[in-house]
Amino acid sequence: LGVVETVLDGADDALLAHRPGPDANPIGWLVWHLTRVQDDHVAAVAGTGQVWTDDGYAERFALPLDDGDIGYGHTSEQVGLVRVSAGPLMDYYRATHARTLEYLATVTPDDLDRVVDTRWDPPVTLGVRLVSVVDDCAQHAGQAAYVKGLLTG
C-alpha cells in the first residue's frame, strides 16, 4: 500500500475528523485536499474533466463547498466542513491516481517543456506543474501519516 492507502486503512470517521490542534488540518481534509489538487491539476494539463465531477464523487461526498473547490487557501472553518469517510475517500483517491497514471503514460520528454499556465512569471511548464503536484501530494500524505501516528501510537 502507498502512504495514502496506509493512512486510510482502518481509519474511522472520528480519526479522519480529529484536529490535533484548534486550527490543525485533520487527516480527512489532508487526503481530500491532496486528491483534489491532483485531480484538478492533472485534468487541466490533460485537457480532461475531473474525476471529482465526472465520476460523481462531488455528489457522493455532498460537501458544503463549490464543486471546483480544492481546499487551497481554506480557512479553519472551511477545513472543518470537509467531513469524509475512509471508504469513499479511498475510492476517490484510487480513481484519481489511476487517471493520473493513465495521463502520465502519454507524456513524452518533449511534452515537459510545454507551457500549461501563463498566469505566472515565468509561465509554468508541464514538467514544473507535475513536480508541483507530486510535491504537494507527498507533503500532505506525510502530514496525514504523521497525524495518524500521533493519534494511534
Side-chain angles (χ1 to χ4, degrees):
L1 293 176
V3 174
V4 170
E5 293 169 315
T6 300
V7 166
L8 293 178
D9 186 41
D12 62 19
D13 291 358
L15 179 66
L16 294 178
H18 182 83
R19 297 175 92 160
D23 294 318
N25 296 329
I27 293 168
W29 184 89
L30 288 163
V31 173
W32 171 83
H33 168 65
L34 75 85
T35 308
R36 288 294 298 125
V37 168
Q38 184 179 151
D39 190 9
D40 174 77
H41 288 28
V42 172
V45 298
T48 63
Q50 295 181 27
V51 173
W52 182 248
T53 50
D54 286 1
D55 293 3
Y57 287 97
E59 291 172 1
R60 283 183 235 169
F61 280 73
L63 298 176
L65 302 168
D66 182 89
D67 285 352
D69 196 330
I70 64 171
Y72 181 76
H74 266 188
T75 64
S76 182
E77 182 179 308
Q78 289 170 310
V79 168
L81 296 175
V82 179
R83 304 291 292 217
V84 294
S85 295
L89 189 55
M90 180 86 80
D91 291 344
Y92 174 50
Y93 170 77
R94 286 179 172 162
T96 298
H97 186 70
R99 177 92 54 96
T100 297
L101 292 178
E102 287 172 18
Y103 171 67
L104 292 176
T106 71
V107 174
T108 67
D110 290 339
D111 293 332
L112 298 175
D113 292 328
R114 176 173 58 92
V115 172
V116 296
D117 191 343
T118 58
R119 296 174 296 171
W120 300 91
D121 185 19
V124 177
T125 63
L126 177 60
V128 169
R129 179 57 45 88
L130 292 175
V131 168
S132 173
V133 170
V134 169
D135 181 57
D136 187 73
C137 290
Q139 287 190 50
H140 291 310
Q143 291 164 353
Y146 180 73
V147 172
K148 185 177 183 183
L150 284 175
L151 300 176
T152 62

